[in-house]
C-alpha cells in the first residue's frame, strides 16, 4: 500500500511538472522579460492581431519591458531587440541563418534549408556573390528606371503631389525583377503581372497567416495560392532556361544555378530574395528620399559632392566609389536607421529565434 502511495505521489508530481512545462501560460524565456503565450498553438499571435500590427505590438512590448523582450510566435520563442545599441551588441557577422529568411520560409510553408553550418555558409556566399555579380552586370539596366522616374518627376508642376511610395514600389519592382530574373522583365507587362502576384502573396503573409483569415476565407486562400503558383512557375521557367547555358547578362538566379543547390533550393532562395528585396528596396528609397527632402543641409552637401565627382559625365560604379562618405554622412546614417527601422516593422527585426 505504501509503495502504491509513493508511486501515486511521484506520478502526480511528474504530471504537474509536465503540465507546468508544456502548457503555454507557464512557459517563460529564461532571464528575458516578456509575455507568456495566450494560446498554446498560436502563442501571442492573437495579441499581435489585437494590437493592429506587429510594429504596434512590439512598440507596446518594449515600452512595458525594456529594450530586450520575448514573445511567442506560434510555438516559437522570439527575442526582440528594440534599440540600435542592443542590436549592434548581438550582430554576428559569421552567422549563416537569417531569421527573416527562416520566418518567410515558414510562412510560405517551404521545407528546404536549415542544413548544417557548412551548407548554410555556402548558400550565404552564393547569395552574396549573386547580388554583387548581378549588380555589376546590370548596372546600366538599373539606371534606366531611375532616369525614367526622374524625367517623370521633372515633368510635374511644382505643386503636384508625388505618390512617392507607389513610385518607389514600381521602381523597386522594375529593378529587382531584372536583376533577379533577367531580360524577361524589361517588358512592363511582365513587371505589372509580377507586382500583382507579389502584392497578393505579401499581403497575406503579413496578415492572413497572423489572424487566421487566410484559412477561413476560401476566396482569399485561392487568390493567394494562385498568385504563389504563378510566381513559382515564372521562377521555375527561368531556372530551367538558365541551366547549362551562358548568357552575357548575369542575374541573381545564375549564381544559385551555378552552386551546388537542387532545383527546390534555388526556387525557394530566389523566391525569398524576390519577395523581400522588392519591399525593402521600395521602403528604403521612400524613406531616404522623404528624409532627404526635410534636410536642406544634406541636400546641399550631396549636390556639391555629386557635381564634383560626376560633373556632366555618366554615372558609373567607379565614380560612385569616389564619393566621400564624410560629405553625406547624415544620409548614410539615415540609411542605417531606415534599414534597422524597416527590419523592426517587417519581421526582420526579430533578432534571435529560440527553439
Amino acid at each position: 500500500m505504501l509503495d502504491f502511495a509513493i508511486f501515486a505521489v511521484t506520478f502526480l508530481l511528474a504530471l504537474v511538472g509536465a503540465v507546468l512545462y508544456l502548457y503555454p501560460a507557464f512557459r517563460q524565456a529564461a532571464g528575458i522579460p516578456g509575455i507568456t503565450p495566450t494560446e498554446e498553438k498560436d502563442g501571442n499571435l492573437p495579441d499581435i492581431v489585437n494590437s493592429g500590427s506587429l510594429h504596434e505590438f512590439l512598440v507596446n512590448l518594449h515600452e512595458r519591458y525594456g529594450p530586450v523582450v520575448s514573445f511567442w510566435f506560434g510555438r516559437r520563442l522570439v527575442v526582440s531587440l528594440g534599440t540600435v545599441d542592443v542590436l549592434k551588441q548581438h550582430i554576428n557577422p559569421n552567422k549563416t541563418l537569417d531569421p527573416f529568411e527562416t520566418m518567410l520560409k515558414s510562412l510560405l510553408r517551404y521545407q528546404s534549408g536549415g542544413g548544417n553550418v557548412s551548407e548554410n555558409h555556402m548558400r550565404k556566399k552564393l547569395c552574396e556573390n549573386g547580388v554583387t555579380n548581378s549588380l555589376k552586370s546590370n548596372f546600366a539596366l538599373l539606371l534606366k528606371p531611375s532616369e525614367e522616374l526622374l524625367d517623370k518627376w521633372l515633368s510635374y508642376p511644382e505643386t503636384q503631389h508625388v505618390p512617392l511610395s507607389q513610385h518607389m514600389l514600381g521602381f523597386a519592382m522594375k529593378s529587382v525583377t531584372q536583376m533577379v530574373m533577367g531580360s524577361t522583365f524589361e517588358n512592363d507587362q511582365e513587371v505589372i503581372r509580377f507586382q500583382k502576384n507579389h502584392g497578393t502573396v505579401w499581403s497575406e503573409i503579413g496578415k492572413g497567416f497572423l489572424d487566421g483569415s487566410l484559412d477561413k476565407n476560401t476566396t482569399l486562400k485561392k487568390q493567394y495560392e494562385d498568385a504563389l503558383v504563378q510566381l513559382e512557375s515564372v521562377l521555375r521557367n527561368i531556372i530551367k532556361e538558365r541551366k547549362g547555358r551562358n548568357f552575357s547578362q548575369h542575374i541573381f538566379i545564375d549564381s544559385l544555378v551555378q552552386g551546388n543547390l537542387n532545383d527546390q533550393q534555388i526556387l525557394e532562395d530566389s523566391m525569398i530574395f524576390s519577395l523581400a528585396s522588392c519591399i525593402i528596396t521600395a521602403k528604403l528609397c521612400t524613406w531616404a528620399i522623404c528624409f532627404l527632402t526635410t534636410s536642406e543641409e544634406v541636400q546641399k552637401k550631396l549636390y556639391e559632392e555629386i557635381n564634383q565627382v560626376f560633373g556632366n559625365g555618366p554615372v558609373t560604379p567607379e565614380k560612385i566609389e569616389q564619393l566621400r562618405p564624410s560629405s553625406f554622412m547624415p544620409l548614410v546614417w539615415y540609411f542605417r536607421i531606415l534599414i534597422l527601422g524597416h527590419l523592426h516593422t517587417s519581421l526582420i527585426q526579430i533578432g534571435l529565434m529560440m527553439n
Side-chain angles (χ1 to χ4, degrees):
M1 187 68 180
L2 180 61
D3 291 342
F4 177 77
I6 294 174
F7 170 78
V9 171
T10 304
F11 178 78
L12 180 61
L13 290 174
L15 182 61
V16 171
V19 170
L20 291 175
Y21 177 77
L22 296 174
Y23 191 70
F26 294 98
R27 285 186 284 177
Q28 294 279 355
I32 302 174
I35 58 176
T36 56
T38 54
E39 293 186 6
E40 183 175 2
K41 180 181 178 182
D42 295 331
N44 297 117
L45 293 184
D47 301 313
I48 296 174
V49 174
N50 292 335
S51 297
S53 69
L54 176 65
H55 174 73
E56 292 297 326
F57 169 76
L58 290 174
V59 168
N60 294 333
L61 200 62
H62 283 291
E63 286 178 350
R64 288 173 58 190
Y65 295 103
V68 181
V69 298
S70 64
F71 65 98
W72 293 85
F73 194 91
R75 296 180 183 273
R76 183 183 294 271
L77 177 64
V78 178
V79 176
S80 174
L81 309 178
T83 68
V84 174
D85 289 338
V86 173
L87 183 59
K88 286 179 179 178
Q89 296 172 21
H90 291 83
I91 287 177
N92 178 6
N94 298 316
K95 76 178 180 68
T96 56
L97 283 178
D98 185 340
F100 184 44
E101 175 190 355
T102 302
M103 185 69 72
L104 272 183
K105 285 193 173 184
S106 173
L107 294 175
L108 289 168
R109 296 168 183 172
Y110 285 158
Q111 301 298 321
S112 73
N116 59 41
V117 173
S118 177
E119 291 174 351
N120 291 330
H121 181 73
M122 182 269 292
R123 289 177 57 246
K124 179 182 176 182
K125 283 297 181 184
L126 280 177
C127 290
E128 290 175 352
N129 291 336
V131 172
T132 301
N133 294 333
S134 56
L135 281 173
K136 289 180 179 178
S137 179
N138 296 282
F139 188 80
L141 289 176
L142 296 179
L143 289 179
K144 185 179 178 182
S146 304
E147 293 167 350
E148 290 174 350
L149 187 57
L150 177 60
D151 291 339
K152 185 174 185 176
W153 284 353
L154 290 174
S155 69
Y156 286 173
E158 288 188 8
T159 56
Q160 182 168 334
H161 170 72
V162 176
L164 186 59
S165 295
Q166 179 182 339
H167 285 184
M168 288 296 95
L169 182 58
F171 167 77
M173 289 289 174
K174 284 186 176 182
S175 304
V176 172
T177 51
Q178 290 187 49
M179 190 181 79
V180 176
M181 294 173 280
S183 58
T184 301
F185 287 88
E186 292 178 16
N187 184 325
D188 286 347
Q189 292 303 314
E190 292 293 336
V191 177
I192 292 171
R193 189 177 296 111
F194 177 89
Q195 183 171 348
K196 179 182 177 182
N197 290 326
H198 179 286
T200 300
V201 171
W202 190 262
S203 64
E204 293 308 326
I205 284 177
K207 180 179 182 296
F209 281 108
L210 291 181
D211 62 11
S213 61
L214 190 63
D215 289 324
K216 298 173 185 176
N217 189 319
T218 55
T219 302
L220 278 180
K221 188 171 184 179
K222 186 177 187 311
Q223 290 175 351
Y224 166 80
E225 291 175 345
D226 288 347
L228 185 59
V229 167
Q230 290 182 48
L231 290 177
E232 290 179 341
S233 176
V234 170
L235 288 170
R236 282 195 175 95
N237 289 337
I238 294 173
I239 292 168
K240 183 178 179 181
E241 176 189 358
R242 308 293 290 198
K243 271 198 166 184
R245 300 175 61 186
N246 293 319
F247 295 85
S248 58
Q249 178 196 18
H250 185 94
I251 61 176
F252 179 79
I253 286 180
D254 289 335
S255 294
L256 302 183
V257 168
Q258 293 164 9
N260 189 25
L261 300 177
N262 60 47
D263 287 354
Q264 185 63 25
Q265 288 175 320
I266 297 172
L267 172 67
E268 293 182 8
D269 286 351
S270 54
M271 174 67 79
I272 297 298
F273 186 86
S274 301
L275 285 173
S277 55
C278 285
I279 295 297
I280 292 173
T281 300
K283 297 295 184 183
L284 177 61
C285 291
T286 298
W287 284 104
I289 293 174
C290 178
F291 282 128
L292 182 58
T293 61
T294 64
S295 175
E296 292 186 6
E297 180 184 356
V298 177
Q299 291 179 43
K300 182 180 178 181
K301 288 183 178 181
L302 277 174
Y303 181 77
E304 292 173 352
E305 179 72 7
I306 289 171
N307 272 341
Q308 180 182 347
V309 174
F310 294 102
N312 295 322
V315 178
T316 64
E318 293 76 22
K319 288 287 185 68
I320 290 176
E321 292 295 327
Q322 296 176 27
L323 292 171
R324 296 194 305 271
S326 59
S327 63
F328 53 95
M329 188 56 70
L331 188 60
V332 172
W333 279 105
Y334 273 144
F335 284 166
R336 292 178 180 177
I337 293 170
L338 288 168
I339 291 171
L340 294 176
H342 186 61
L343 300 187
H344 188 284
T345 58
S346 62
L347 291 180
I348 310 176
Q349 183 269 351
I350 298 173
L352 299 172
M353 290 184 175
M354 299 182 177
N355 290 319

